[in-house]
């Protein structure tokens, strides 16, 4: 017999004995076998307790203890004021592609100078914003430049 025919015979035996009860001894007691009725979930019961009356005489000290552990963040700082050059750079950065998108969706006939101006505005706005970012620390950072390893 070839190894392939042995494997085929083993599979035939497995398929033939699929619906037959297992003759091997069960590793658990018969009382633990489930019947079809055991699969239905039991209804859950909820116990509702009456609420306790609230004390209106709570001292401020008790309220502080209740608030302990709850983090309340500070309000965020206001946004920085933008100068005119930064505002123009942002308008150019978004205005150029916005014009191209609206013109393409509307089917407008775009002249070469209009395309050039929109692309130049996008590139110019991007370059202006990158140049204005700056690489140095903020002016109010003081003498300490952080951890140096």
């Amino acid at each position: 017999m070839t190894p392939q025919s042995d494997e085929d015979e083993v599979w035939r035996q497995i398929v033939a004995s699929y619906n037959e009860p297992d003759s091997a001894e069960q590793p658990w007691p018969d009382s633990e076998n489930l019947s079809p009725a055991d699969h239905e979930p039991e209804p859950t019961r909820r116990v509702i307790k009456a609420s306790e009356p609230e004390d209106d005489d709570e001292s401020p000290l008790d309220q502080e203890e209740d608030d302990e552990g709850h983090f309340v963040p500070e309000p965020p700082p206001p946004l920085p004021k933008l100068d005119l050059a930064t505002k123009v750079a942002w308008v150019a950065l978004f205005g150029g592609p916005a014009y191209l998108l609206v013109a393409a969706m509307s089917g407008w006939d775009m002249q070469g100078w209009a395309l050039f101006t929109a692309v130049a505005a996008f590139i110019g706005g991007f370059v202006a914003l990158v140049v204005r970012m700056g690489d140095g620390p903020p002016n109010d950072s003081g003498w300490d430049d952080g951890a140096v390893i």
Side-chain angles (χ1 to χ4, degrees):
M1 240 186 205
T2 65
Q4 180 65 31
S5 63
D6 290 341
E7 187 175 315
D8 290 341
E9 181 61 30
V10 169
W11 277 109
R12 281 189 207 104
Q13 289 175 358
I14 291 173
V15 171
S17 64
Y18 180 72
N19 289 328
E20 294 177 7
D22 190 14
S23 61
E25 194 171 310
Q26 293 178 350
W28 59 84
D30 195 39
S31 61
E32 291 185 6
N33 286 336
L34 294 177
S35 67
D38 292 337
H39 288 288
E40 295 177 14
E42 293 183 19
T44 56
R45 296 181 184 167
R46 296 183 183 177
V47 177
I48 300 174
K49 295 182 180 179
S51 62
E52 296 179 14
E54 294 182 15
D55 285 337
D56 292 336
D57 300 337
E58 277 190 28
S59 68
L61 183 61
D62 292 340
Q63 290 177 354
E64 288 176 9
E65 289 176 3
D66 290 344
D67 290 341
E68 189 174 323
H70 294 285
F71 175 71
V72 179
E74 297 178 9
L79 293 174
K81 300 290 182 190
L82 298 178
D83 59 341
L84 181 62
T86 305
K87 290 178 184 178
V88 169
W90 279 109
V91 168
L93 180 72
F94 290 112
Y99 168 75
L100 292 176
L101 182 66
V102 169
M105 292 180 70
S106 300
W108 294 344
D109 184 31
M110 292 183 276
Q111 302 295 322
W113 64 269
L115 291 172
F116 175 77
T117 304
V119 171
F122 171 73
I123 293 171
F126 178 77
V127 169
L129 288 172
V130 169
V131 168
R132 296 179 61 80
M133 278 185 358
D135 290 336
N139 294 337
D140 61 352
S141 65
W143 61 272
D144 186 14
D145 60 352
V148 179
I149 299 177

